[in-house]
Every structure is written in C-alpha cells, then in structure tokens.
Amino acid sequence: MLTIYKFTLVAITSSILMGCGGGGGGGSDTSSESSSSNVVSIPATSSNSLSTSGHNTKDLNFNTNIVVDSNTGNVTGISLVYNYNNSSLGLLVDNTDEIQIIADGQTVSTTLGSQVFSGDHYSYNLPDNVSVYEFRYTRGGVVVGEASLSSLPLAFDAVGTNNGDTIDVVLTREANHTYKYAVESLMCSADAGQTFNSVSSNYYLEDDEGVLTGDYSRSLSDAFNQTSANLQTSYDNCYVDILFYARLQNMNLSESSANIDVFAASQNATRITLF
C-alpha cells in the first residue's frame, strides 16, 4: 500500500468534495440535468446543533464523493451532511432524518465515522457495473435532496519513470475525461529503507491546479526544490508518490435541489523510485 493511500479518501478527496460542493449545488460535475435552484425548507426537529435534526434543511447540504480506485478496482463513497455556515463539519444524521445510498434498487450499507475536527461522515463500498446509483436525504419521509447517477469516471493506468532529475508518468487517457495531479510527495529514508519520512509534499486541491493537457513531466527542482545528487548526500533511499485523478466531463447525473451535490473521480496512486 502506498504511503499516499493513508490519507487519500478521507483527507484528499474530502477536501476536493468540500471545495466543489460548498455553496449549494453549484460545484458538482457536469450533469445531463442541471441541479434545481430549489432549496427544500423543513424546520429543525431538535435543538442539537451537532446533528442534522438541529437545523432547518434549507441550511443543509447532502454531499457525496465517489472514488473509483484504479489501483484496486474498488468503488467507494463517502457522504456527509453539513451546514453551509460550517462546511468542514459533518453532522450526525438523526431523529427522523435519513440518508440512503441505493445501487440498482438495493440499499447499500453505510458505516458511520467520526473525527474530532471534521465531524461525522458515512462511508461505504459500491458495486461496479451498476445501471444507476441513487442518493437520498429525507426528513420525516419528505425528500430534502435526491440524485441519480448512471455513469462513473473510468479507471486508468499510470506508469512512472525516473529520468535523472525528472519524473515522467504516462497516463492511459480516455475520451471525455479531464486529468490532474492532486498530490506530490517526496519520501526518503536515512536508515537503508527501514523507515521513510516525508521530505516535501505538494497539494493541488483547486479545480484549476495540477490540470494535465498531456502526460506528467516534472523536475525534482520544480516540484520539491531538490536534485537527486543533493538528496543522496543525506538519504539512502528516496521515492516520489503522486496521486492522479480523472473526472468525467459529462456524467449522467441529475440532482433534485440545491440541497445535494454528488462528485465522482477515478484515482491512481503512482510510486516512482529515485534511488
């Protein structure tokens, strides 16, 4: 397992999720049916500000991020409901509130996770080769937001090579997809490969950062302000991990209201050994 995997789904894709989804329906992938500007308003049913029931639904967004992992073939999802005034904090879905993830008519089991700084989120595995995925948030049986998705970004290969002080990665690119690199991480060991520590990392989380028009090619000096010769004076072994992801330009996605956003990407974590 690459070092980069330790934070990929929760930290990186969640950051992309929040950046794209915050603000109410304006940031999800291009869809066949645009999100409605309607916002469903149902009064709070409790006074608990850390749960969904403690907020009027007009202030809430049901935000979902789906990842197609090119390295493993797995399709996973993470969903959370947050208040627009604090989009970094996921709320516990409680009382008469309910979220449902459905794949070809079958309910998908979700697992509740909680973190001190980011609150509650719901993770799950999705079957692939599904005709339609559905995402639904209800309060007291009334639909607050629902979406359907019938296409996902395709998995892709990434083959990297070390050419001295330049890292080159060739991607298998598909039509109707856009590609970018989201993370570059330089890892080195000073004890003959027993332990590796981060020397430098770069994160490209905005939509216009790290966009690729061809294959990836970056020098160590541009990416990390390092050279191979300089690194070898301090370390026995070094490698670079790069996280790429692809988005489908025209997903078959429909969303019922501004209370819901769905984002999907395929990703590939690639490791290039320097020495």
Side-chain angles (χ1 to χ4, degrees):
M1 179 178 289
L2 302 192
T3 301
I4 209 166
Y5 280 179
K6 294 179 180 178
F7 51 81
T8 296
L9 181 59
V10 174
I12 299 303
T13 56
S14 292
S15 296
I16 295 169
L17 168 89
M18 302 310 293
C20 293
S28 46
D29 294 289
T30 303
S31 59
S32 56
E33 298 180 37
S34 299
S35 301
S36 169
S37 61
N38 296 331
V39 174
V40 176
S41 178
I42 304 175
T45 58
S46 81
S47 59
N48 185 0
S49 63
L50 295 179
S51 69
T52 58
S53 63
H55 303 265
N56 189 305
T57 59
K58 67 181 177 61
D59 298 320
L60 299 179
N61 183 272
F62 176 33
N63 209 321
T64 291
N65 191 53
I66 300 171
V67 175
V68 179
D69 192 325
S70 301
N71 301 93
T72 66
N74 295 331
V75 181
T76 57
I78 183 170
S79 296
L80 67 161
V81 181
Y82 64 85
N83 186 295
Y84 289 119
N85 294 321
N86 188 2
S87 61
S88 64
L89 182 66
L91 301 171
L92 178 68
V93 178
D94 71 343
N95 211 343
T96 64
D97 289 15
E98 184 178 5
I99 62 171
Q100 287 182 297
I101 315 298
I102 302 167
D104 277 352
Q106 301 297 312
T107 299
V108 174
S109 177
T110 63
T111 300
L112 172 64
S114 185
Q115 297 181 350
V116 173
F117 298 107
S118 59
D120 295 312
H121 61 272
Y122 298 83
S123 59
Y124 42 90
N125 296 315
L126 290 171
D128 56 5
N129 299 319
V130 168
S131 298
V132 62
Y133 301 97
E134 298 172 84
F135 310 89
R136 188 174 300 126
Y137 170 38
T138 59
R139 172 167 292 176
V142 178
V143 174
V144 176
E146 61 183 347
S148 63
L149 174 65
S150 57
S151 59
L152 290 175
L154 295 176
F156 61 98
D157 290 328
V159 179
T161 56
N162 167 25
N163 295 305
D165 281 329
T166 301
I167 300 297
D168 295 308
V169 182
V170 177
L171 306 179
T172 56
R173 304 168 70 89
E174 301 286 346
N176 199 32
H177 286 64
T178 58
Y179 296 82
K180 68 170 288 180
Y181 52 98
V183 183
E184 299 164 318
S185 183
L186 174 61
M187 305 291 294
C188 291
S189 171
D191 57 5
Q194 294 300 307
T195 57
F196 283 85
N197 297 299
S198 176
V199 175
S200 180
S201 294
N202 305 313
Y203 303 90
Y204 307 94
L205 303 182
E206 300 298 327
D207 282 348
D208 59 351
E209 293 182 317
V211 176
L212 292 168
T213 57
D215 291 325
Y216 174 96
S217 183
R218 291 259 283 166
S219 68
L220 293 176
S221 59
D222 285 343
F224 306 110
N225 195 30
Q226 296 280 358
T227 65
S228 181
N230 182 53
L231 290 169
Q232 289 183 62
T233 64
S234 302
Y235 301 105
D236 303 317
N237 308 91
C238 288
Y239 61 80
V240 172
D241 279 346
I242 307 172
L243 175 64
F244 298 94
Y245 82 81
R247 294 171 64 178
L248 186 58
Q249 294 174 357
N250 294 291
M251 292 200 308
N252 295 318
L253 170 67
S254 65
E255 297 168 333
S256 67
S257 72
N259 295 88
I260 188 166
D261 283 304
V262 176
F263 174 87
S266 55
Q267 70 175 31
N268 190 306
T270 303
R271 175 166 295 174
I272 304 95
T273 300
L274 300 183
F275 56 86

